């Protein structure tokens, strides 16, 4: 019966299964790879990356506001109920006329 080491080849293949003999043996290639990785890691993000990040934060903020104020959590009260009542109370007052405003507009003949 073969030992475990002889079944899988030498001991390097056990510790590094993706290591292919001959491809990564040159230390200059490893140094070259490490220099390239460090070079890209030290650079600031690109303009596209920054725009993508800004769009991501904007969408996360919008989804959060939607979940807080507009998502239907069912008929039972939840932790957002008081915030939603306050918000929709403000919105309703914004889009409706007060009694004094309605009276003034009736006197001016702008509404019936």
């Amino acid at each position: 019966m073969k030992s475990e080491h002889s079944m899988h080849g030498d001991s390097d293949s056990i510790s590094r299964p993706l290591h292919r003999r001959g491809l990564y043996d040159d230390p200059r290639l490893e140094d070259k790879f490490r220099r390239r990785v460090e070079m890209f890691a030290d650079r600031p993000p690109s303009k596209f990356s920054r725009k993508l990040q800004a769009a991501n934060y904007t969408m996360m903020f919008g989804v959060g506001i939607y979940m807080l104020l507009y998502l239907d959590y069912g008929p039972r009260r939840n932790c957002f109920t008081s915030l939603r009542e306050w918000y929709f109370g403000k919105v309703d007052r914004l889009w409706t006329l007060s009694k004094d405003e309605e009276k003034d507009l009736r006197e001016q003949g702008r509404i019936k």
Side-chain angles (χ1 to χ4, degrees):
M1 185 170 187
K2 294 184 178 182
S3 71
E4 189 174 327
H5 291 290
S6 63
M7 277 197 266
H8 297 291
D10 61 324
S11 62
D12 276 345
S13 66
I14 293 172
S15 61
R16 297 184 292 178
L18 298 179
H19 180 79
R20 293 185 191 148
R21 196 175 290 264
L23 284 177
Y24 304 110
D25 289 342
D26 189 0
R28 291 177 301 148
L29 291 176
E30 186 174 347
D31 291 341
K32 183 178 179 180
F33 172 74
R34 291 190 191 283
R35 279 195 308 270
R36 286 183 181 175
V37 168
E38 290 171 1
M39 179 180 66
F40 285 117
D42 292 340
R43 291 176 36 190
S46 66
K47 288 182 181 181
F48 174 75
S49 178
R50 289 182 186 199
K51 289 178 183 178
L52 188 64
Q53 186 178 16
N56 185 23
Y57 285 136
T58 303
M59 289 180 65
M60 286 187 331
F61 179 74
V63 167
I65 294 297
Y66 172 79
M67 289 177 66
L68 283 173
L69 300 176
Y70 294 100
L71 187 65
D72 185 16
Y73 291 105
R76 294 178 41 189
R77 290 186 62 83
N78 57 48
C79 59
F80 306 126
T81 303
S82 59
L83 176 67
R84 293 174 74 169
E85 289 170 350
W86 172 81
Y87 172 75
F88 286 114
K90 293 283 186 185
V91 169
D92 288 343
R93 283 193 296 272
L94 178 69
W95 294 109
T96 57
L97 296 173
S98 68
K99 298 291 181 186
D100 294 333
E101 292 170 335
E102 190 175 344
K103 179 183 170 191
D104 290 340
L105 289 174
R106 285 190 193 282
E107 290 174 355
Q108 294 173 7
R110 292 188 180 176
I111 60 174
K112 295 180 181 180

